[in-house]
Amino acid sequence: MSHIILEARDVRYRYPRGREAIGGISFHFRRGEKIALVGPNGAGKSTLLQMFNGMIRPDSGTMLFDNEPIRYDTASLRQLRRRVGFVLQNADRQIIAPTVYQDVAFGPTNLGYDEAGVKEAVSTALRQVGLVGFERRPPHQLSGGEKKRVAIAGVLAMDPDVLVFDEPTSGLDPSGSEDLMELLDELNHDGKTIVISTHDVELAYPWADRAILLADGQIIREDVPDVAFGNTRYVRMAHLSVPTLLELSAELEKRGFVIPERKPRSVLDMIHIIESHLHGSGSHLTPGTITVCNVDEGNTATLSTWVNAHPDLVVGAMGTRAKQCAVQEQIALEFTYGVIDKCILRALRGRDSLILTPGSMVGRVAVRVEAYCKESGNTISVVNLNTANQPPITGSTNEEMKEE
Ligand code: ADP
């Protein structure tokens, strides 16, 4: 078990002239976790989040970062805020400089980095959020999703351990929200601990490692999402609703379907339950293949030729760099979120797919597919397009890739 990075011990807080917003809360987050604080408006989510980087100091109780009680003198807070980055709900309130570069440079400059250090930090952060080339743009001319990314880059430029997002998808359209949640996954994959607040149970349920249900300044329930959201009494107490997948799985169970102990958290999990009921375990079709292409490696210029030579293939992209590569190579993307699961679903129907991914996420495809196959009794091959001497995926033009 990785170590505890943030902890609250019986913290309470009352706004001046307000009622008690946080009423004696304790919890701890481990390094690398994805945590969702879920509750209705006024539950105390924002107040609690602001305690994580010392913006709000509890009236009583203790907040700890890295096992040390948070200290509230200027120097300690400065240090804490470098390690716990906070992304506000409203990006307009976070972005202050006239250009993207200057805005993202603000944090590292304040930390006293030299010019080369600032440049390096800004370019790394902009690359992480997919905004390379936006350096000179005035932030007010950007879309809502792009502004959010500038705000995130500003926080990332200080290379924090924990990223805290207050209602990260508020104001974004569905596709912008999906892109943002995928970015959070990518940052988590790079080692960041991520905490979000939301009232959207459908968003929190499949995403979080752990969910904290909050209402009236109290923790109602804290657990893995299928347990936290699985008890209707707690969900009602928190003025929330049961996620659709859980509601559906409860109904299927009443109709004689076998629901695994770990409740379905994706369409893929749900399809597995239904297919097993209908056909027993394992697919009745010969599964398709999932080909993976690492866009950070080798020459991607011939990729579109290869894709065009496989007209039955659909393409998905994981992560910002892979999506940019697809735009560059004019490859139409079918899947941009939940890509691995969608490609597994397609493979189960006997169809092939290609996943474009940055190097850091190549392994994730194999791990997820392997875990699924183990659980379901299916066999789905994952082929790495970058590796020489791969067997051809549809018996044809893999030769072109080998010549690279
Ligand atoms: P959430 O983020 O879950 O919507 P908040 O943390 O914003 O909840 O608010 C929790 C409680 O504190 C609410 O009752 C809210 O009205 C109150 N509150 C929030 N901000 C202030 C403030 N600046 N002054 C007084 N009361 C506040």
Side-chain angles (χ1 to χ4, degrees):
M1 264 261 168
S2 54
H3 81 256
I4 294 170
I5 188 147
L6 264 173
E7 185 176 352
R9 292 189 188 151
D10 196 24
V11 293
R12 291 180 182 273
Y13 183 75
R14 180 189 295 274
Y15 283 97
R17 290 186 302 281
R19 62 188 182 91
E20 192 170 61
I22 297 296
I25 279 182
S26 302
F27 58 79
H28 58 257
F29 300 158
R30 290 186 185 279
R31 194 178 278 279
E33 273 192 310
K34 293 193 288 183
I35 311 276
L37 288 183
V38 196
N41 291 335
K45 303 184 295 295
S46 292
T47 309
L48 193 56
L49 289 186
Q50 289 173 74
M51 287 185 187
F52 296 168
N53 74 345
M55 280 192 287
I56 286 182
R57 180 177 188 165
D59 296 330
S60 64
T62 312
M63 290 294 303
L64 297 96
F65 176 75
D66 221 359
N67 298 313
E68 294 286 336
I70 291 178
R71 294 209 309 265
Y72 294 87
D73 59 280
T74 312
S76 304
L77 285 179
R78 207 177 140 102
Q79 181 62 16
L80 176 69
R81 286 172 194 167
R82 198 180 78 69
R83 300 190 63 191
V84 181
F86 198 102
V87 180
L88 299 173
Q89 180 172 351
N90 183 350
D92 287 322
R93 287 182 51 204
Q94 188 144 8
I95 298 170
I96 42 174
T99 68
V100 168
Y101 183 93
Q102 287 172 14
D103 196 80
V104 179
F106 185 80
T109 306
N110 261 357
L111 289 175
Y113 290 20
D114 64 12
E115 203 181 319
V118 171
K119 222 169 160 178
E120 170 73 27
V122 174
S123 82
T124 305
L126 289 178
R127 197 172 58 244
Q128 282 176 296
V129 301
L131 288 183
V132 173
F134 281 64
E135 288 81 353
R136 289 163 187 267
R137 300 272 294 272
H140 66 268
Q141 286 180 2
L142 303 178
S143 73
E146 287 163 349
K147 279 186 199 167
K148 193 92 193 176
R149 282 169 188 264
V150 174
I152 297 172
V155 169
L156 281 175
M158 291 179 279
D159 194 22
D161 302 279
V162 182
L163 285 160
V164 177
F165 293 83
D166 195 3
E167 299 278 354
T169 59
S170 101
L172 300 181
D173 57 29
S175 127
S177 298
E178 286 189 348
D179 283 349
L180 190 87
M181 293 314 285
E182 168 137 322
L183 175 61
L184 300 200
D185 275 350
E186 217 176 328
L187 296 173
N188 176 251
H189 190 74
D190 289 344
K192 308 287 185 201
T193 307
I194 313 257
V195 188
I196 67 165
S197 77
T198 182
H199 51 74
D200 186 342
V201 291
E202 304 294 348
L203 177 100
Y205 176 64
W207 177 82
D209 295 325
R210 219 142 47 87
I212 297 182
L213 273 46
L214 202 69
D216 302 322
Q218 301 281 349
I219 292 181
I220 304 292
R221 182 85 205 201
E222 176 196 345
D223 217 316
V224 288
D226 53 332
V227 176
F229 290 111
N231 186 317
T232 34
R233 194 166 77 87
Y234 293 128
V235 170
R236 246 183 251 127
M237 274 169 74
H239 311 287
L240 296 168
S241 56
V242 175
T244 310
L245 283 170
L246 272 184
E247 201 177 342
L248 190 55
S249 97
E251 283 303 322
L252 289 177
E253 195 163 23
K254 288 175 196 156
R255 284 159 180 75
F257 283 69
V258 177
I259 307 295
E261 197 179 330
R262 188 185 150 280
K263 301 280 188 295
R265 281 180 70 183
S266 63
V267 171
L268 176 60
D269 291 345
M270 190 54 89
I271 290 293
H272 174 59
I273 290 168
I274 297 170
E275 291 270 344
S276 309
H277 186 82
L278 296 175
H279 309 293
S281 91
S283 173
H284 54 296
L285 277 172
T286 308
T289 300
I290 298 174
T291 304
V292 182
C293 175
N294 173 357
V295 298
D296 291 336
E297 209 176 82
N299 178 7
T300 53
T302 55
L303 197 56
S304 56
T305 319
W306 188 85
V307 170
N308 289 335
H310 297 81
D312 292 336
L313 198 77
V314 303
V315 188
M318 285 165 64
T320 317
R321 286 202 299 288
K323 284 173 194 161
Q324 281 169 341
C325 166
V327 172
Q328 230 167 45
E329 304 305 328
Q330 299 182 331
I331 295 169
L333 291 178
E334 184 88 8
F335 307 138
T336 54
Y337 184 67
V339 172
I340 309 177
D341 277 16
K342 285 174 182 154
C343 290
I344 295 176
L345 279 166
R346 193 173 153 82
L348 294 176
R349 289 189 287 115
R351 315 293 285 273
D352 299 331
S353 52
L354 171 69
I355 300 180
L356 306 179
T357 165
S360 60
M361 295 211 270
V362 170
R364 213 162 123 182
V365 179
V367 168
R368 174 77 184 115
V369 174
E370 211 174 290
Y372 175 77
C373 288
K374 209 167 150 195
E375 212 173 289
S376 66
N378 284 293
T379 310
I380 297 169
S381 330
V382 177
V383 174
N384 188 338
L385 198 53
N386 307 80
T387 316
N389 304 320
Q390 285 293 336
I393 64 161
T394 51
S396 56
T397 45
N398 224 18
E399 293 307 315
E400 292 159 22
M401 297 307 292
K402 284 190 214 159
E403 284 165 15
E404 275 183 28

